[in-house]
Structures are given as C-alpha cells and as structure tokens.
Amino acid sequence: MITLAAPHELEQLIQKSRFIARAAPAATPEEALAFLERAREREATHNCWAYRVGPLYRFCDDGEPGGTAGQPILRAIQGQGLDRVMVVVARYFGGVKLGTGGLVRAYGGVAAECLRQAPKREVRPRGRV
C-alpha cells in the first residue's frame, strides 16, 4: 500500500479563484478528521475534502453543488492508488463562476497535482506471530 510520507500543500489560481490543497497521511478516519480541523481555511468560501483509509472513505462538498468537489478529490486519491490519505481543498471565490464541469476539473485537478508532488512511502502490513 502506498501513502504519503509527509503532509504536502499546493496552491493554484484558476479563473480568479484561489485553490489551496493540503494532503496528509491518516491512519484512521479520526486522524483524517483531525487533519481537516487543522487544515481548514477559516476565511475560505469552501473547504471541500475527502479521505480514504482502507475500505473506509468519506467526502464533503461544503456548499458546492453536489458531486463537484468531494467526489473529484476522492477520485484523485483513488486514481493514484493511495490509501490512508486525507485531502482538503480550500477555495477563495474570485468572482468567476466555474460551472459544474469547471468545479470538477478544478477540485480534482488541484487535489491530483498536490498528491503527485507529495512525498510517498510504502506501508507493509505487519502482524504479530
């Protein structure tokens, strides 16, 4: 299984909106939600997120139209074959409406690029014998 070796951050400007993606390893859903509280931008228009920990996953659009933010972030995690990962993408609205397709591309693209650049490590399952 591949996960992140350390937290990583990426910022992009898309159609005058500022997107800040933060990704971190999370061994449990509780760790993922704790990272959400630390990574959340209090002044941002939206803080959308997704995590995957083994078979467990969750995502949130945080006020964006349904399916335009959380799911694309989750697909970015799954698309790179990562596990035990949490990604939070904050958006500061810049005055230009992106539409549903634009939101999907923006959130998914920023999350995917952040994960591509993040340092990774392999985790091997261990058991007591």
Side-chain angles (χ1 to χ4, degrees):
M1 158 188 38
I2 305 295
T3 191
L4 301 185
H8 191 71
E9 182 175 318
L10 174 76
E11 184 173 330
Q12 287 186 348
L13 193 64
I14 300 171
Q15 295 287 319
K16 297 184 181 179
S17 284
R18 191 172 83 163
F19 289 85
I20 303 168
R22 292 186 174 100
T28 66
E30 294 77 20
E31 279 185 30
L33 296 176
F35 177 74
L36 169 63
E37 289 308 310
R38 291 190 309 274
R40 178 186 305 269
E41 291 274 326
R42 304 287 178 215
E43 302 299 317
T45 313
H46 303 281
N47 285 280
C48 305
W49 54 270
Y51 72 74
R52 178 178 173 206
V53 178
L56 305 174
Y57 64 89
R58 271 182 68 192
F59 55 85
C60 176
D61 293 320
D62 191 35
E64 293 284 21
T68 61
Q71 285 180 325
I73 296 168
L74 180 62
R75 283 195 298 271
I77 295 169
Q78 294 169 330
Q80 294 186 38
L82 299 172
D83 195 1
R84 297 184 184 179
V85 173
M86 171 62 154
V87 179
V88 180
V89 180
R91 177 187 183 200
Y92 288 90
F93 181 63
V96 176
K97 294 191 180 227
L98 301 178
T100 57
L103 288 170
V104 168
R105 285 187 297 277
Y107 280 104
V110 170
E113 187 59 30
C114 180
L115 292 169
R116 265 193 290 280
Q117 293 180 12
K120 296 172 188 68
R121 69 182 176 95
E122 185 176 352
V123 176
R124 296 183 186 192
R126 295 182 189 189
R128 220 169 225 188
V129 183

